[in-house]
Amino acid sequence: MSTATRRPAPDSPMAKLGGPAKWFDDRIGLAGLAKKQIRKVFPDHWSFMLGEIALWSFVILLITGVFLSLWFKPSMSEIDYNGTYAQLRGIKMSEAYASTLDISFDVRGGLLLRQMHHWAANIFLAGMTIHMLRIFFTGAFRKPREINWLIGLGMLMLGIIEGFAGYSLPDDLLSGTGLRIADGLIRSIPVVGTYLEFFIFGGQFPGDDFIPRLYIVHVLLIPGLLLALISAHMLILVYQKHTHWAGPGRTNRNVVGYPMLPIYAAKSGGFFFIVFGITALMGALMQINPIWMYGPYDPSQVTAGSQPDWYMGWLEGALRIMPNWETHVAGFTISWNVFIPGLAVMGFLFTLLALYPFVERWITGDQREHHVLDRPRNQPTRLGFGVAGITGYGLLWAAGGNDILATHLHLSLEAITWFMRFAIFIGPVVAFIIARRWAIALQRHDRESVMHGYETGVIVRSPEGAYSEIHSPISSERAYILTAHERRPKHSLVSREDVSGVRARKQGKERLRSRLSDFWFGDEIPKPTVSELEAAHEHTHEESPVVGDGHHVGIETGGQTGGDPFELDESTT
Amino acid sequence: MRFLSTRRRHPLAGLVVVLFALVVVGGLYSAFRPASADESTTDTQLISQGRRLFVVSCATCHGENGQGVLEKEGGEFGPPLIGVGAAAVDFQVGTGRMPLALPGTQAEARKPIFTPQETAALAEYVASLGPGPAIPSKDMYDATNATPDEVAMGGQFFRTNCTACHNFAAQGGALPHGRHAPDLTNVPAKYVYEALLTGPQQMPKFSDAVLKPQEKRYIIAYIHSMATMPGYGGSRLGFLGPVTEGLWGWLFGIGALILAAVWIGNQGVRAGKKRR
Ligand code: HEM
């Protein structure tokens, strides 16, 4: 990387190609850099491709979006519709809406591209979301990757705003209903809300300026920002190298995988076509946002089933279950009923996500770099938090679709609302407890597998007539994977005190930290020590008639760590 | 005219005039009275048949004389029917909502219990209790030859007045207190018209002052045009809006992509083994 500023010597890899490639390389001289990059190693696992779902659907959004922008007219001036769709002919509507109808009915391939654009938007955000969950549960956000975690969050937020902006462009009934809610949110900001509204909408909602402004935001501003962030994200990724799963030969100091060219590029390129194909299939076969059914936006109309796209659904849910609280102070009305669900909930979730890596690091006291991923079960507390978050999010989602739930499950809207009002606080706690216990149970199971092998399902009867199931030892590779995580001693208050005579206040903070840390690592199942393993395996020898050999070869557990609580697991490097 | 003027002093002239007047009045009456009454039975017969049916099937909830049973303790209660008109009965009984099957719940459309003739009798009886909207005639609700302009106007009226409860594609929607507005796509035109006239349960009444008769017909035309519309752009996913779209995006879109990712991930492992 660092040698890339010089012109390459005559034996540049491009020199062999001759002709234009050489000409080009003589001037730009990126071949050396490229040569290094194409040998860059990427580890292989399906979960590492989730981010690519987001990346490729972004590319699809760019392609289809450019197509749409050739026909879309971002204007709110009123015209009479005269296109193909008979049910709306002669109706007054904005040019934006009319041009979207034209894209749908009069432009060849327009409806397909429009639907692909919208499906790709849904998949883009869903891809980012599951990618983020993967990062979270495997601890890939840990040092040194906090910056990429924050960039990722930034992209998620921008994606949500971008999607909402796109959803608002066609100026159909749902667009307008959504915008009116957004307008309400803006106005609910204490003190400055009304001024902000005037500033953003160029007057009172909806005004005439808004769609042209939104259009620039949608096709230029946010895609530009996203592109910049994606580039940064990828550069940092390449520079820091990808994380990988634990396994024999895979350490915190290396990356094991396939080189960029040809294997990884082929896979990744192939994946683009799969994403494209699935999006095209959905665009061709499944209606999305049938704006002709909604009709043009008219402030006097509403429709049952007006919801935002899924990525705003949780905020809609928060709005729907929020009690109708307002305070009147000195002539001003503070609309808690809008402010809390709309802005506070969103701010809360994203702040939590942004701070998480730093909070976890503070609690565990773990300042080291990590390039080997955690199996989620080996971090029960983190897993618990993640599952609690998913539960809360899911409940808000369900609340956002409360009318659909009510009609399809024959429930009453009030019952759903009241259930959700409690469930949103209780559900995540319950989910946390269950997920954490479950992870610990899985740890116990891992320990059993390492010590006694896996259950073969073969039952044998001994000469005395007793039945037992044969356990077969697991492969040494498997055993390595199951024992690769480190055993973490709890954050120790005493040792900290020894280091320096800390002041009382600091001590209080340390005590809190120590208590949190106790909770964090509490109930973990210790992985077997070498001596435990040997003892267990002799035992297996005795009772099992079918022992392959080598079952304790190569099983190296980290061993009991000594004074330094965080020693690198060097046993396999 | 000479024929009449020369005979106007005939002894039977008075009788002829009275008869003639009766025929005219009768003809006018039969032209303008509610249409569905069976021609073979006279009104009084119909009314008394209706009263008999009413006492048996409806009186427990609506009272002997349709005055209503208002205390809710008994479990069986119903609003007074005086002045609801024949249209209300034709709608409620014709769609099978009445007699109410489960007291205390929303009356659901189901297979009607009474024959059309019995329904007409009940309607006639209830209409005789007090004046109310009559059963509309076919030319009022029949929208099969509505022009495209009329359909488009119907769409406008539909979106302004109906989508809030019945959803943008008339698929129905949830209302407070466990009630719901039903799917309208397969409701016969006559019942749509009657529902508009009488406002069943939570639905507001759209009297002729609110929606003119021809506007009601446009709405019917629009509802029926949606039922026969081609599925532009593929499956409608139930026409329920973004909730189902999100569901499909996750289940189908992300689901298929994760399967593909797992498949590609596994491919690599095999290629790796071959090279070794
Ligand atoms: C990050 C990416 C993007 C997201 C999440 C996104 C999302 C959306 C959504 C949800 C819609 C509504 C589609 C509908 O009518 O059903 C939309 C419309 C639109 N988008 Fe995008 N978009 C993105 C990028 C772009 C780009 C890069 C362009 C252009 C260069 C673009 C151009 C348009 C245009 C012109 C419309 C209005 C036409 C229409 O509504 O059919 N979009 N976008």
Side-chain angles (χ1 to χ4, degrees), chain A residues 45-68:
Chain A
H45 190 261
W46 66 268
S47 70
F48 301 163
M49 309 203 79
L50 298 179
E52 272 173 51
I53 296 181
L55 177 66
W56 295 137
S57 41
F58 180 70
V59 173
I60 297 171
L61 282 163
L62 288 179
I63 299 170
T64 53
V66 168
F67 177 90
L68 291 177

Side-chain angles (χ1 to χ4, degrees), chain A residues 58 61-62 64-70 72 100 103 114 117-118 120-122 124-125 159 162-170 215 218-220 222-223 226 288-289 291 309 311:
Chain A
F58 180 70
L61 282 163
L62 288 179
T64 53
V66 168
F67 177 90
L68 291 177
S69 61
L70 298 180
F72 181 72
T100 314
I103 292 175
R114 224 195 101 226
H117 192 71
H118 207 136
N122 277 5
F124 175 55
L125 280 136
E162 173 75 349
F164 184 73
Y167 178 91
S168 305
L169 281 181
Y215 182 66
H218 184 79
V219 301
L220 199 67
I222 297 184
L226 275 173
I288 188 166
N289 204 15
I291 50 139
D309 272 352
Y311 40 86

